Amino acid sequence: MTTLKSKLQEDLTAAIRARDELRSSTLRLTLSAITKEEVSGKTARELSDDEVQKVIAKEAKKRREAADAFAQGGRAEQAEREKAEGVILDAYLPQQLTDDELNQIVAQAVEEARSAGAEGPRAMGAVMKIVNPKVAGRAEGGRVAAAVKRLLAG
């Protein structure tokens, strides 16, 4: 068992013992998503820590989107629960980049792409290829794409 997955298991056990319903249900759903990912495909396999982290990031993103949807639908109580679940999952993810750090990385990538001959909005793909490995897991794709578009347009 990977170290991140075993940490989730241990934290689930602790949450159950502490009768922390929110934390235990969140961790149960996340472990269930990890297991589902492990058995998907032709053969069952154990996920690496990086793959487990991607599953956790996907689950955290689902929580943020659900919280937004509930807030727009006027269901504030449900939105707060989703936000709280997202906060619990964020604890298992690497520290997210600030907007300044992200803009700095994107600016360097834009300069690299320009030196390679890519200019304007058409350079989006080239810049994203440079940026994505540098920010992997530390910034959401939508944030990265928005920053790239902003710098290429301006």
Side-chain angles (χ1 to χ4, degrees):
M1 189 181 295
T2 61
T3 55
L4 187 54
K5 186 177 175 188
S6 60
K7 176 155 176 44
L8 287 167
Q9 292 276 12
E10 291 166 11
D11 290 351
L12 173 61
T13 304
I16 291 170
R17 285 191 180 134
R19 299 203 189 304
D20 185 346
E21 191 274 329
L22 176 69
R23 186 174 203 77
S24 62
S25 69
T26 303
L27 293 178
R28 264 196 193 107
L29 286 171
T30 304
L31 284 166
S32 165
I34 291 168
T35 304
K36 183 178 177 185
E37 188 69 28
E38 287 177 334
V39 298
S40 68
K42 294 188 186 280
T43 58
R45 63 192 173 87
E46 190 165 324
L47 298 179
S48 68
D49 270 352
D50 287 340
E51 292 170 316
V52 169
Q53 207 168 49
K54 286 179 184 173
V55 172
I56 294 171
K58 194 174 5 173
E59 291 295 309
K61 183 179 179 187
K62 283 182 191 176
R63 298 311 189 288
R64 282 192 296 277
E65 290 171 351
D68 290 343
F70 281 129
Q72 289 174 358
R75 296 179 63 190
E77 189 176 306
Q78 197 70 28
E80 287 303 315
R81 180 175 173 92
E82 293 291 335
K83 283 180 188 171
E85 288 180 4
V87 168
I88 290 170
L89 293 176
D90 285 343
Y92 296 96
L93 296 172
Q95 187 66 39
Q96 295 292 301
L97 293 172
T98 64
D99 288 338
D100 292 337
E101 292 169 329
L102 180 61
N103 288 333
Q104 188 176 6
I105 291 170
V106 170
Q108 290 171 348
V110 168
E111 289 306 314
E112 282 182 50
R114 283 195 179 131
S115 66
E119 290 260 351
R122 293 187 190 147
M124 179 93 177
V127 174
M128 290 297 283
K129 281 182 187 172
I130 297 168
V131 172
N132 278 336
K134 294 179 182 178
V135 300
R138 299 185 306 151
E140 212 172 87
R143 268 184 69 205
V144 175
V148 170
K149 282 180 187 173
R150 197 171 42 249
L151 283 174
L152 287 175

